[in-house]
Amino acid sequence: MSMSNLTPIPELYVSAESAQKLKAEAGALPSWDLTPRQICDLELLMNGGFYPLKGFLTEADYDGVVESMRMADGSLWPMPITLDVSEKFAEGIEPGQDIALRDQEGVILAILSVTDKWEPNKAKEAENVFGADDLAHPAVNYLHNTAGKIYLGGPVTGIQQPVHYDFKARRDTPNELRAYFRKLGWRRIVAFQTRNPLHRAHQELTFRAAKEAQANLLIHPVVGMTKPGDVDHFTRVRCYEAVLDKYPAQTTQLSLLNLAMRMAGPREALWHAMIRRNHGCTHMIVGRDHAGPGKNSAGEDFYGPYDAQDMVRKHQDEVGIEMVDFKHMVYVQERAQYEPADEIEEGVTVLNISGTELRRRLAEGLEIPDWFSFPEVVSELRKTRPPRAQQGFTVFFTGLSGSGKSTVANALMVKLMEMGGRPVTLLDGDVVRKHLSSELGFSKEHRDINIKRIGYVASEITKNGGIAICAPIAPYTATRRAVREMIEQYGAFVEIHVATSLEECERRDRKGLYKLAREGKIKEFTGISDPYEAPGNAELVLDTENVEVDHCAHQVLLKLEAMGLIKG
Ligand code: PPS
């Protein structure tokens, strides 16, 4: 790239005046409601973050990018930026047509002039771009299970930026950052890409990297979409702001990047480097296993630890950004300071706290020493991840009709209320069917809808720090798993199989339903004329035969205590 790192970069926006006019005209076009990931991609396309792209990839560009990281004209680009749509939507669209791209509230952000429409070979895209067609990779999973079947490509005309309500002052377009660097006279700028909270080691390594490159530092965290399970960006930005104060004044800037990461390791690192170049940076720190997605389905790493560094090093001249090695910093107890791990002599005491250990300490409310992180950062993390005994959670009873789910669930609720501390809600099968699912019957489809509604309410309760106790039959394993996944984003999911046998339930027949079911007067009755798939991985299995209700509820309390969810 011949242009200086600080001259303006081409954007895809039209003038404010034309935007007004286009927007009015675009109302009549077929319109596509962008997904959250597509909104991230579109923002960076329009503001020059994805320069030299001028729109969503055409088929020829896509083929080249997937095959060899080169577009049809030979220019380097490692990541397919494609507009995936449903088959149904694609049926009505032909090349030559314009479509309006809308955000999730329906605001028109851009116009796509469609030149290409095709069905991609997703298995090939997965193999080439992500290294394996393995659903354990979050982007491969997205490709097969979330993305639409058809891709549309063509140039984009930008009308307006996606709206953000959070941290507005910390969001900068490439040209805003370039102008800022120009104004401050910054010529050499090292970018630090991150999706995690920064601790002291990161602060030390980034500062050292900037010093060694005789450059200023840009902390450039991703706030668009990161790896599922990461600390949410609201918390992280409050942490970054606290860390920003620790750098010498005027050396360092913080700016938020609305990127949707793919966790594509080497290709992703190169993509990150190009994006940082577009934002006016001259250097970028690349670490071990940069943008790695974790383990594949065979339990091995998707990429080699230095693949990302090799990739960026190989292309850095062509991109116009220099890679800076990420120095692994460790705390040397004797000297009470951080030092690069490869410069430390034998015999000194090196301290470290792994990510897993940090999460354990947060979950259990244990000490996190000052040498490891800044107190302000720890306090933000503690607010978001309070100890387990203060977090919300869900207890999910499952079992046959008449197994005793409701009785034990009621006893548990009373005991938890007696202990106090968190609000408790009981979502009993019968209660739910009265208030949430009164229109539903007992077909597989209706049972699934019913359980997913319960799961949704329980996940909201869990998110807000309460205790949800659910007691439906929930006969299907896959549906219970879906509910577990929904809830585990926010807190623990404790599945309890009330394993009273069918014979015993039928013998008790408390509601007289089994008799009616046997007579064929109730259809699709669980255990008689409809299946019950017993859980294989429940946290607890309760046998209620010849056991007091009180004792069953007590067993649940002991389990909750062992999991750290309540204090004994
Ligand atoms: S499910 O499968 O989880 O959606 O069922 P659930 O919402 O828990 O509702 C079960 C209660 O509905 C009564 N009932 C039936 N159960 C099973 N199969 C059929 N066909 C049926 N028809 C009515 C029954 O009283 C269940 O209550 P519990 O408390 O489980 O005995």
Side-chain angles (χ1 to χ4, degrees), residues 396 398-406 428-430 432-433 437 440-444 446-451 454 471-476 511 513-514 517 522-527 529-531:
F396 191 96
T398 166
L400 295 169
S401 170
S403 57
K405 301 180 303 283
S406 309
D428 195 9
D430 285 341
V432 168
R433 283 202 170 259
S437 296
L440 299 181
F442 289 88
S443 64
K444 170 154 196 323
H446 277 193
R447 288 181 197 260
D448 282 352
I449 297 172
N450 181 43
I451 299 307
I454 297 176
I473 298 179
Y476 299 110
K511 298 180 186 166
L513 296 174
Y514 281 96
I522 304 180
K523 303 266 176 292
E524 299 175 310
F525 196 83
T526 308
S529 43
D530 219 53

Side-chain angles (χ1 to χ4, degrees), residues 304-547:
Y306 301 106
D307 290 1
Q309 290 190 338
D310 293 345
M311 175 75 95
V312 177
R313 197 177 293 112
K314 185 166 161 207
H315 296 283
Q316 59 182 359
D317 291 343
E318 186 176 355
V319 173
I321 193 163
E322 203 175 307
M323 190 186 86
V324 180
D325 212 337
F326 178 109
K327 278 236 183 324
H328 181 55
M329 305 294 290
V330 289
Y331 186 75
V332 180
Q333 191 175 31
E334 284 83 353
R335 295 192 279 269
Q337 64 183 7
Y338 277 88
E339 295 176 14
D342 58 2
E343 291 174 18
I344 291 168
E345 73 277 19
E346 275 197 24
V348 292
T349 320
V350 163
L351 302 182
N352 194 20
I353 293 181
S354 67
T356 314
E357 174 62 9
L358 176 65
R359 281 189 291 277
R360 187 188 75 87
R361 290 192 186 196
L362 286 169
E364 295 180 23
L366 300 174
E367 194 222 338
I368 294 161
D370 276 3
W371 64 259
F372 176 74
S373 196
F374 302 101
E376 300 91 328
V377 171
V378 174
S379 124
E380 284 300 338
L381 293 178
R382 284 203 200 282
K383 273 189 237 161
T384 311
R385 301 252 161 115
R388 285 197 127 198
Q390 286 164 30
Q391 281 174 21
F393 64 89
T394 293
V395 182
F396 191 96
F397 290 94
T398 166
L400 295 169
S401 170
S403 57
K405 301 180 303 283
S406 309
T407 320
V408 180
N410 260 301
L412 176 68
M413 175 176 74
V414 170
K415 285 177 190 292
L416 287 169
M417 286 169 76
E418 183 183 8
M419 294 168 72
R422 278 173 285 196
V424 189
T425 300
L426 175 58
L427 297 163
D428 195 9
D430 285 341
V431 174
V432 168
R433 283 202 170 259
K434 189 162 162 211
H435 294 290
L436 277 183
S437 296
S438 57
E439 85 286 21
L440 299 181
F442 289 88
S443 64
K444 170 154 196 323
E445 194 195 351
H446 277 193
R447 288 181 197 260
D448 282 352
I449 297 172
N450 181 43
I451 299 307
K452 284 185 180 158
R453 284 182 190 166
I454 297 176
Y456 174 71
V457 176
S459 76
E460 287 293 308
I461 292 170
T462 303
K463 181 172 92 184
N464 292 317
I467 301 174
I469 305 176
C470 315
I473 298 179
Y476 299 110
T477 308
T479 325
R480 292 192 302 259
R481 191 189 313 135
V483 170
R484 177 185 288 272
E485 281 166 13
M486 207 175 346
I487 287 164
E488 282 184 341
Q489 299 173 55
Y490 304 117
F493 180 79
V494 187
E495 188 173 343
I496 298 182
H497 180 201
V498 184
T500 314
S501 66
L502 178 64
E503 295 70 38
E504 174 66 11
C505 293
E506 197 167 356
R507 195 188 58 71
R508 291 180 193 166
D509 205 4
R510 287 180 47 198
K511 298 180 186 166
L513 296 174
Y514 281 96
K515 183 165 176 291
L516 294 174
R518 285 286 181 204
E519 292 166 7
K521 291 185 183 142
I522 304 180
K523 303 266 176 292
E524 299 175 310
F525 196 83
T526 308
I528 305 294
S529 43
D530 219 53
Y532 179 78
E533 300 169 3
N537 60 345
E539 273 70 12
L540 185 68
V541 179
L542 284 182
D543 187 352
T544 64
E545 283 166 52
N546 308 317
V547 187

